Amino acid sequence: MEKDECTGSEESGSLYDHDRAVLEKLGYKQSLDRSLSSWGTFGVTFSCCSILSGLTPLYGEALQSGGPLAVIWGWLLVSFFTMFVGLSLAEICSAFPTTGGLYFWTIRLASAEWVPLASWIVGYTNWLGLCVAIASTDLAMAQFLASLVTMLSGYEPSTYVIFAIYVGIIILHGMVNSMTVRLNGFFNILSVWWHVVGTLMIVIVVLAYTPEKQSASFVFTAWVNNTGWNSSFYVFMLGLLQSQYTLSGYDSAAHMAEETKNAQHGGPMGIIRAILGASIIGWFFLIGITFCITDFQAQIVSPTVGVALSQIFLDAAGQTWAIILILVILGAQFFCGSALTLASSRMVYAFARDGALPLSKHLHRLNKDKSPVSAVWFNIAFCFILGLPYIWSETAFSAIVSVNTIASSISYLIPILCRIILARHTFQPGPFSLGKFSTPVGIVSSIWITVTSVLFLCPTTAPVTVANMNYALVPFVLVIGMCSLYYALWGRHWFTPGGTRIVADSVDEEQVGETEDNGVEARRPANEKEEVDFAT
């Protein structure tokens, strides 16, 4: 469809033309394959919030930090406040539907003098959070596979074997995400059904086969504290970490925006539907499984097969059903890791498009199917590096989990604060708007993000020793410190964030962005962009 590039007027009012017009007014050319429906985007986002992936590896630890009371009611508490965060992000997503997501939102919402540094930090923390989410999900999947091997043979795989399994999983995710986005959309819709049907199957089977179930009093009010800490409030807050770790990654809908039809609607609804769906299904799962705990010490504190849920399955339904149920969880974990790999590759593509990453001119290239395959394998390589510390210390897994949520939280917090403080009177909402509730919701979101981020840095066991210390701050500071140093030494001299110039359709994708010394095409500074009304 031809259009006038000077005025941006469209000859057709089709959704595709509208999506393309909005994107070009934000400063970007439509290069990715816009073939995802809003439900396809929801599938990706819901898979990233996978309750079977997030709740299963940490279920035993959470029960020892407050017991069923903290796990069951803590899930509702976290779900409630996470929805506030999701609503804040959904509103901004509707106004700025680009693959850059939170990074680009910061460009549009921050004050001009802080735009380069703020968007750089958000971009790197967002990318780090997504990559660490892949690593933690795939490490958990490797551990579940190891528990299955132990159950079947009695052999206990070493950390080296588990790491080798992890490497195989991330390579498979790289292969899956080298497919076209259309196929990935179908893949993630299948993931939604897998999670819904799989959760129902697990709960029904375990409830049916457990001979003597726990009382409702135990499930909803029992308190357990095996942390060593004396403060009940602190222990309860530690019990929330499992839930908050699970309910993250919903910004993936924003990273799929340039591939989503009617992105100003599909993006924000993907965020909200994913949080709501995961919240409901997760609570159902936790209640059902907690009723089936028959021996707290043997199943939760010291499970023979290494994973609390695997032990519950084995004790309740026997080996055959336990294997089937573990396979259901393994499938969910694979879907989750794949969706996270998809979203993170789009984040890398967008960030590289503006020249913020090393090798940017290679990472923002697309293949013949309009997929950023180079960005996919860049993240797979980084996930390999992230997993290496697990070989020397299993405590590294806990640190990886914490870094995931901390990094993601910072990338959520900055654009929300910019929206409610710096752009409070200038923000132009898209079709999805919170109206007069935008600022109050943003304030609640910001407080919640700050509280949970601090929690993920706190020690979970007392007395604190070298072995059980929470080392989450170390890898986080190391990676973000290196990124900040990169900006201070080089990035600040050439990095101009924001929409790249719109390249003529006749220019080959492989040639885009190779016109300057650092491989990044010329940009219009963020403070020179025209103001556009996106509430169409």
Side-chain angles (χ1 to χ4, degrees):
M1 177 75 60
E2 295 293 324
K3 72 178 193 62
D4 181 355
E5 287 193 13
C6 295
T7 64
S9 63
E10 298 293 315
E11 293 181 4
S12 169
S14 69
L15 277 178
Y16 178 84
D17 288 335
H18 173 70
D19 285 330
R20 179 176 175 178
V22 170
L23 184 61
E24 291 189 349
K25 287 175 181 177
L26 292 174
Y28 295 107
K29 173 192 173 185
Q30 179 65 56
S31 299
L32 295 167
D33 180 17
R34 194 180 289 275
S35 59
L36 281 179
S37 66
S38 61
W39 283 103
T41 301
F42 160 71
V44 174
T45 313
F46 183 80
S47 298
C48 291
C49 297
S50 168
I51 57 105
L52 292 179
S53 298
L55 294 178
T56 50
L58 300 176
Y59 179 70
E61 292 183 25
L63 280 172
Q64 297 180 69
S65 300
L69 186 149
V71 169
I72 301 299
W73 298 111
W75 176 262
L76 285 185
L77 182 67
V78 171
S79 298
F80 177 75
F81 285 109
T82 298
M83 183 57 78
F84 276 78
V85 180
L87 287 169
S88 294
L89 296 181
E91 181 182 48
I92 306 173
C93 180
S94 182
F96 309 123
T98 69
T99 293
L102 299 101
Y103 148 74
F104 183 84
W105 305 347
T106 305
I107 296 169
R108 287 288 178 159
L109 299 172
S111 54
E113 65 271 23
W114 287 105
V115 162
L117 179 59
S119 61
W120 184 281
I121 292 173
V122 170
Y124 272 101
T125 52
N126 191 200
W127 167 67
L128 179 62
L130 287 167
C131 284
V132 175
I134 299 169
S136 61
T137 299
D138 288 358
L139 271 174
M141 183 178 178
Q143 289 174 326
F144 254 87
L145 271 171
S147 74
L148 183 59
V149 170
T150 303
M151 187 185 301
L152 291 173
S153 65
Y155 167 72
E156 295 187 14
S158 66
T159 53
Y160 292 97
V161 173
I162 294 175
F163 179 76
I165 296 172
Y166 164 76
V167 172
I169 293 169
I170 61 174
I171 290 174
L172 282 175
H173 282 147
M175 295 170 65
V176 169
N177 285 282
S178 295
M179 302 187 303
T180 64
V181 70
R182 192 184 303 271
L183 291 176
N184 264 298
F186 293 141
F187 187 75
N188 284 288
I189 288 295
L190 175 62
S191 170
V192 174
W193 287 107
W194 184 280
H195 278 83
V196 173
V197 176
T199 301
L200 283 171
M201 178 181 175
I202 290 171
V203 172
I204 291 172
V205 168
V206 177
L207 281 172
Y209 278 95
T210 301
E212 296 183 9
K213 300 172 185 63
Q214 287 288 354
S215 65
S217 175
F218 172 84
V219 172
F220 294 104
T221 64
W223 176 261
V224 178
N225 178 12
N226 291 339
T227 65
W229 297 104
N230 294 322
S231 170
S232 296
F233 175 76
Y234 181 65
V235 172
F236 177 82
M237 295 301 288
L238 290 178
L240 303 181
L241 297 182
Q242 170 200 231
S243 301
Q244 191 60 67
Y245 165 69
T246 303
L247 290 175
S248 61
Y250 41 85
D251 60 299
S252 300
H255 299 306
M256 305 308 298
E258 291 179 34
E259 295 163 278
T260 301
K261 300 171 185 175
N262 194 13
Q264 289 187 292
H265 173 80
M269 292 312 297
I271 294 172
I272 294 168
R273 287 168 180 162
I275 295 172
L276 183 61
S279 299
I280 294 171
I281 296 173
W283 203 52
F284 172 77
F285 175 80
L286 288 171
I287 291 174
I289 294 299
T290 306
F291 266 111
C292 300
I293 298 173
T294 55
D295 187 331
F296 197 90
Q297 180 64 35
Q299 293 176 327
I300 305 302
V301 180
S302 305
T304 304
V305 296
V307 179
L309 273 175
S310 297
Q311 192 67 55
I312 293 172
F313 296 162
L314 182 62
D315 294 347
Q319 188 178 76
T320 301
W321 270 114
I323 292 170
I324 294 172
L325 299 183
I326 290 174
L327 288 174
V328 170
I329 291 176
L330 288 171
Q333 289 173 324
F334 188 82
F335 279 123
C336 178
S338 180
L340 288 165
T341 303
L342 178 67
S344 66
S345 69
R346 271 50 182 181
M347 171 60 212
V348 166
Y349 162 79
F351 212 27
R353 183 169 57 182
D354 283 344
L357 289 168
L359 305 175
S360 283
K361 70 177 181 180
H362 301 291
L363 295 177
H364 85 282
R365 288 180 175 177
L366 306 178
N367 67 0
K368 60 183 178 62
D369 296 318
K370 296 185 178 182
S371 294
V373 176
S374 298
V376 170
W377 289 100
F378 175 78
N379 282 342
I380 296 301
F382 185 64
C383 286
F384 173 83
I385 296 171
L386 284 175
L388 285 173
Y390 180 80
I391 296 175
W392 296 283
S393 171
E394 292 190 26
T395 305
F397 176 71
S398 298
I400 287 174
V401 169
S402 298
V403 170
N404 162 36
T405 311
I406 296 166
S408 296
S409 296
I410 291 176
S411 67
Y412 296 170
L413 178 62
I414 293 176
I416 291 175
L417 285 177
C418 289
R419 159 68 185 94
I420 64 175
I421 298 174
L422 300 178
R424 184 173 181 177
H425 301 296
T426 58
F427 176 72
Q428 297 181 29
F432 180 85
S433 173
L434 298 177
K436 63 182 180 180
F437 297 104
S438 182
T439 298
V441 169
I443 292 172
V444 173
S445 301
S446 301
I447 294 172
W448 179 251
I449 291 171
T450 303
V451 170
T452 53
S453 296
V454 172
L455 270 178
F456 273 96
L457 293 174
C458 295
T460 57
T461 305
V464 180
T465 65
V466 173
N468 64 26
M469 177 65 186
N470 187 344
Y471 292 100
L473 192 62
V474 177
F476 177 76
V477 170
L478 180 63
V479 175
I480 297 303
M482 291 174 63
C483 297
S484 301
L485 184 63
Y486 179 38
Y487 176 81
L489 296 179
W490 294 288
R492 65 188 179 89
H493 298 297
W494 49 261
F495 177 60
T496 307
T500 56
R501 63 181 174 81
I502 299 171
V503 184
D505 292 344
S506 59
V507 177
D508 186 85
E509 191 65 35
E510 289 294 315
Q511 301 301 316
V512 174
E514 298 184 9
T515 58
E516 298 207 357
D517 292 341
N518 61 5
V520 183
E521 51 185 329
R523 290 176 191 81
R524 181 191 302 121
N527 58 3
E528 292 183 13
K529 293 181 192 294
E530 60 177 324
E531 292 296 327
V532 182
D533 181 9
F534 296 106
T536 304

